[in-house]
Amino acid sequence: SDHLAFFLLESIFLSLPFDQVQPFVANIFQLVFARIQSSKTLKIMRSFIVFLAFFIGKHGASTVLQAIDNVQPNLFMMVMSSLWLPNIQKVSGLTERKACAIAMIKLLTDCPALLGETYFSLWSKVLAALMAVLELPQDESAPADVVEEEVDVDIAQASHASFETLMHARKKDVDPFKDVDPKKLLAFSLQRLSQAHPGK
């Protein structure tokens, strides 16, 4: 199932140094984007957003932006405009929403490309999305053109231990950023950004 595959990816990217996964990142993104194009379900898009949030939170916004743009120039703009921003408020789960908030803080304050000409138009949109995640409840409505995919998995019937490991790879609500308060991080990061770019 797609969302279980994303759980596994999250576990891998949270557990390993980036240099160990870097050789596979381009292929992973190519497969993920192909899957999203072929099956535009809300579950897949939310799973992708959460995976991307953990990736950014662990390895940095610039690393992720460059990895996506290495697949296709300026692809990160499409990812943010077409996938992340329209669906970020539909992400559920306290840990998942916190990870999304941290990822957006890193994008806003620790990613020089977002202050450059190509991506600067995203900055205010990401800030608005961040404030919505921090202050507003989850949007539980589903857009008309997106069909939610429900997948029932009976672990007891799984014939391989590896599948059970996959099922639980990231399902336990373990917060990899448990020591981070997003609102405090935002205040600190914006102050640091303002000092680094006075007048902007």
Side-chain angles (χ1 to χ4, degrees), residues 2 27 79 114 189:
D2 294 300
N27 286 337
V79 169
L114 246 69
S189 299

Side-chain angles (χ1 to χ4, degrees), residues 124-150:
S124 61
K125 297 175 183 177
V126 173
L127 179 61
L130 168 62
M131 299 312 297
V133 168
L134 290 176
E135 302 295 341
L136 299 177
Q138 174 196 352
D139 178 4
E140 297 183 351
S141 65
D145 62 337
V146 176
V147 179
E148 181 66 275
E149 178 186 38
E150 295 296 338

Side-chain angles (χ1 to χ4, degrees), residues 56-183:
I56 292 171
K58 174 69 174 181
H59 298 292
S62 292
T63 298
V64 176
L65 185 152
Q66 184 175 359
I68 293 176
D69 276 359
N70 283 343
V71 176
Q72 178 181 313
N74 299 330
L75 182 58
F76 187 77
M77 175 68 82
M78 185 279 291
V79 169
M80 293 301 295
S81 299
S82 301
L83 298 176
W84 183 289
L85 291 172
N87 297 292
I88 186 66
Q89 193 60 3
K90 298 181 185 297
V91 171
S92 59
L94 293 177
T95 300
E96 288 79 3
R97 290 176 69 82
K98 177 182 176 182
C100 290
I102 291 171
M104 287 189 284
I105 293 169
K106 287 179 175 287
L107 282 167
L108 291 169
T109 64
D110 198 26
C111 185
L114 246 69
L115 296 177
E117 182 178 352
T118 301
Y119 287 115
F120 187 69
S121 62
L122 282 177
W123 201 93
S124 61
K125 297 175 183 177
V126 173
L127 179 61
L130 168 62
M131 299 312 297
V133 168
L134 290 176
E135 302 295 341
L136 299 177
Q138 174 196 352
D139 178 4
E140 297 183 351
S141 65
D145 62 337
V146 176
V147 179
E148 181 66 275
E149 178 186 38
E150 295 296 338
V151 179
D152 294 319
V153 179
D154 186 350
I155 298 176
Q157 295 179 357
S159 57
H160 301 289
S162 58
F163 183 84
E164 188 168 349
T165 301
L166 170 62
M167 182 69 179
H168 291 284
R170 251 272 315 137
K171 257 201 160 177
K172 294 180 181 178
D173 195 26
V174 177
D175 183 359
F177 312 117
K178 61 182 179 180
D179 296 326
V180 179
D181 180 328
K183 292 184 179 180

